[in-house]
DNA sequence: ATCACGTGAGACATCTGTGTCTCATTCGGT
DNA sequence: ACCGAATGAGACACAGATGTCTCACGTGAT
């Protein structure tokens, strides 16, 4: 009976990432609840978006923590990170594509901090000779977000199989599309 | 004096790709024109979006044509394609991230057709042994869009240098982040 | 210098989405 | 079976964006 707040936020993320001008009513319908109920849980559109930000940052941070980016080979850390990110991919896709949200410069810092941690992983990989050094850590970080978003949308639209999510991202990010000898 | 329609559409794409809820007034300001003038050129928000779609599809098709995807090694064709896409990257980023636009199933076909052409390039590369076969052409196509979008946003936000646009995308897409022997 | 045209600024009515409320209903716990 | 809490549906006023119009100004052509 009672509404699952997290569930509502997830469906909202999935919808808004594809139709950012969606109405509060559409968001409610997508979550399978009434508009009034949606309003009882989130004071308004503003609050809803804030909640999405907060949840996104929080869950991404948790995923980064769990992945233990400082341990083991950098490429394996990337695999762990992508694996942990999968459940929150639609939400991440929304937050990445809509950075209007970060005007208050409040949550902006939280985002920058997570960016730095991911970026640091790629830097570590470069220093340890695992990653090539002609692609900046900043770009690799952005590319990771982009690929995660693309994969999330592709799965959502049925263009690729959900079970291949991690494999597709990691393999392309780490190994690229070109066929090479050692593979 | 007279307004450059293409210029208006480009600035609108850049703005809307980052703040999709932007007002018509904001779009006008971003283009350096008045709201009334914007309205004289595009009957309404709906018409503006349609024009963005149309221009995006048209220019992407032109870029694909110019790249001559059927000729030469597949990886070189990818390089040509990315080079041709660079000027319309912000527009492409908008269209990819906001697929609410394709409800009328009209322009949807145009998009599907272009998708098929790009996808065919990757398939050709696989058949000729240039690309690995464990990543589907559909995914590689989506990934290309995703990376182009990420790169466009990164450049727009100043996180990476504009001059590295093509290099970053092509190198990551084709070669991946991992350091390997022949590189 | 004159004229036609396109533009910017502002006013205006309208519309759509928003936020709040009430009320009947349903679900879950007792 | 009962009761309380949460929900859905609908009504309502309000706010903000939209679409249209007018008018004055600047520009470019003649």
């Amino acid at each position: 009976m009672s509404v699952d707040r997290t569930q509502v936020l997830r469906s909202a993320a999935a919808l808004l990432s594809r139709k950012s001008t969606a109405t509060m009513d559409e968001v409610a319908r997508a979550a399978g609840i009434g508009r009034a109920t949606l309003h009882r849980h989130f004071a308004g559109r503003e609050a809803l978006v804030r909640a999405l930000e907060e949840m996104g940052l929080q869950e991404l941070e948790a995923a980064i923590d769990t992945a233990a980016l400082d341990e083991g080979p950098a490429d394996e850390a990337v695999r762990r990170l992508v694996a942990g990110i999968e459940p929150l991919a639609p939400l991440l896709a929304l937050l990445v594509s809509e950075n209007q949200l970060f005007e208050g410069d409040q949550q902006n810092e939280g985002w920058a901090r997570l960016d730095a941690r991911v970026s640091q992983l790629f830097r570590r990989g470069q220093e340890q000779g695992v990653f090539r050094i002609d692609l900046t850590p900043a770009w690799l970080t952005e590319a990771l977000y982009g690929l995660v978003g693309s994969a999330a949308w592709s799965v959502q639209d049925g263009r690729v199989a959900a079970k291949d999510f991690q494999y597709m991202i990691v393999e392309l990010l780490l190994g690229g599309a070109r066929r090479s000898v050692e593979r």
Side-chain angles (χ1 to χ4, degrees), chain A:
Chain A
M1 184 186 194
S2 195
V3 164
D4 181 352
R5 179 188 167 95
T6 299
Q7 170 58 27
V8 171
L9 286 176
R10 290 205 186 284
S11 69
L15 173 60
L16 291 175
S17 77
R18 290 320 243 167
K19 184 176 180 179
S20 52
T21 60
T23 296
M24 287 293 275
D25 188 69
E26 292 178 284
V27 172
R29 299 297 166 184
I33 64 177
R35 194 168 68 94
T37 302
L38 178 62
H39 249 284
R40 288 189 189 98
H41 288 268
F42 305 98
R45 193 192 187 78
E46 173 75 14
L48 175 65
V49 170
R50 291 290 169 188
L52 282 169
E53 286 183 62
E54 193 177 349
M55 188 174 89
L57 287 173
Q58 193 172 323
E59 296 200 351
L60 179 56
E61 178 151 42
I64 290 177
D65 288 339
T66 302
L69 302 187
D70 297 332
E71 301 173 12
D75 55 344
E76 290 183 12
V78 169
R79 288 181 198 277
R80 291 195 300 271
L81 178 59
V82 172
I85 280 179
E86 178 165 6
L88 51 113
L91 177 54
L92 208 57
L94 170 66
L95 297 181
V96 169
S97 65
E98 291 279 317
N99 75 348
Q100 70 168 107
L101 316 173
F102 311 117
E103 287 180 343
D105 280 329
Q106 182 76 8
Q107 314 246 358
N108 207 327
E109 292 183 17
W111 193 256
R113 199 160 47 81
L114 297 185
D115 262 16
R117 292 181 68 183
V118 176
S119 199
Q120 168 57 26
L121 165 62
F122 288 114
R123 184 170 295 107
R124 179 171 76 88
Q126 290 179 333
E127 292 169 353
Q128 298 180 347
V130 179
F131 296 152
R132 53 200 289 193
I133 61 172
D134 59 336
L135 297 175
T136 67
W139 163 239
L140 292 175
T141 302
E142 295 295 324
L144 170 59
Y145 293 149
L147 290 177
V148 168
S150 290
W153 287 332
S154 297
V155 169
Q156 196 173 335
D157 296 350
R159 280 191 293 273
V160 303
K163 68 175 176 58
D164 297 331
F165 183 89
Q166 296 177 30
Y167 184 81
M168 294 187 310
I169 296 172
V170 171
E171 286 304 312
L172 186 63
L173 179 61
L174 296 183
R178 193 184 289 121
R179 186 178 178 184
S180 51
V181 249
E182 73 273 6
R183 208 173 272 129

